[in-house]
Amino acid sequence: MLIEYCFLVGFIGAVVALAFAFIQRSKVMKHSEGNDKMVKIAQAIRDGANAYLKHQYITVAKVFAVVFVILLIMSFIKTGEKDGNAVYMLSRFTPFAFLTGGIFSMLAGFIGMKIATASNARTAWAAKESLNKGLRVAFASGSVMGFTVVGLGLLDVTMWFCILHFGFGMDETQLGTVMVMNGMGASFMALFARVGGGIYTKAADVGADL
């Protein structure tokens, strides 16, 4: 009976990870961005990053919409019968698991970009005082992204487990076929972020060279 509620570890882990990420973010934001010139440069970087994220997420949302519709159509295609019940190519939950995986991955990327553009000038200014202080600011900002990814991932998976197992009584085999698409949605989004981010940083490198 106790094993049935082991999923609570996932919820607790997600809450702890997200709470720790929020605390680390608060620590980073308490540091100064430096002099007026540094503040101006940091703001320009944030403006550019926000413009990039907006354009990327609009484009990715269109691709996700197309894939979601395809998966939804597949979930209505009947492939046979088993024990008098219709068998479909995909579960009706599969498209939505794919969608939430992508959304949580997108949210993690958004938070990561926000903390990165908020901490760059703060890290540089702290490093002027001492290498140790600069490292602490950089480490704290990096941990925000790391724990956000872990926290959101745990939350998403645990949430789907509760819905499917307790809400709809699915067994382990059925759960696995649905929840694997959750990871695929997250990876799909991460792939776009990696490619888009690579193009963005390369453009910045070329601009710096010029």
Side-chain angles (χ1 to χ4, degrees):
M1 184 67 179
L2 184 62
I3 296 177
E4 281 287 306
Y5 294 94
C6 282
F7 73 92
L8 288 173
V9 175
F11 273 128
I12 294 170
V15 171
V16 171
L18 293 174
F20 181 75
F22 180 78
I23 292 169
Q24 291 295 86
R25 177 194 175 278
S26 300
K27 287 182 179 180
V28 172
M29 298 305 289
K30 287 179 182 177
H31 291 276
S32 171
E33 279 194 304
N35 56 40
D36 292 340
K37 186 175 181 180
M38 291 176 70
V39 171
K40 186 177 179 180
I41 292 172
Q43 185 58 50
I45 293 171
R46 277 193 290 273
D47 291 341
N50 289 334
Y52 157 70
L53 282 179
K54 181 180 179 181
H55 185 73
Q56 183 192 56
Y57 285 171
I58 289 173
T59 303
V60 173
K62 294 176 183 177
V63 177
F64 260 84
V66 172
V67 176
F68 174 78
V69 171
I70 293 173
L71 292 174
L72 194 62
I73 292 171
M74 291 174 67
S75 69
F76 282 91
I77 298 176
K78 187 176 178 181
T79 58
E81 287 191 9
K82 185 178 181 181
D83 299 328
N85 297 318
V87 177
Y88 296 92
M89 187 175 290
L90 292 175
S91 167
R92 299 286 166 82
F93 296 102
T94 300
F96 298 97
F98 175 83
L99 194 62
T100 59
I103 291 172
F104 275 64
S105 181
M106 188 181 297
L107 182 59
F110 178 81
I111 293 172
M113 180 70 87
K114 285 294 183 181
I115 189 63
T117 55
S119 65
N120 48 15
R122 288 177 168 86
T123 301
W125 187 253
K128 287 187 70 175
E129 184 176 323
S130 71
L131 181 61
N132 181 54
K133 190 174 181 180
L135 179 61
R136 285 179 178 274
V137 176
F139 188 83
S141 63
S143 67
V144 172
M145 178 60 174
F147 278 89
T148 297
V149 170
V150 172
L152 291 177
L154 276 173
L155 181 63
D156 195 22
V157 171
T158 310
M159 179 184 71
W160 272 107
F161 176 82
C162 290
I163 292 172
L164 299 176
H165 183 67
F166 293 104
F168 294 90
M170 286 190 177
D171 58 28
E172 289 80 0
T173 303
Q174 293 171 314
L175 276 168
T177 57
V178 174
M179 293 176 68
V180 70
M181 291 302 293
N182 186 275
M184 188 170 289
S187 299
F188 198 70
M189 177 61 223
L191 178 64
F192 276 95
R194 181 175 179 81
V195 173
I199 294 170
Y200 182 76
T201 53
K202 181 53 66 178
D205 291 340
V206 172
D209 292 340
L210 290 173

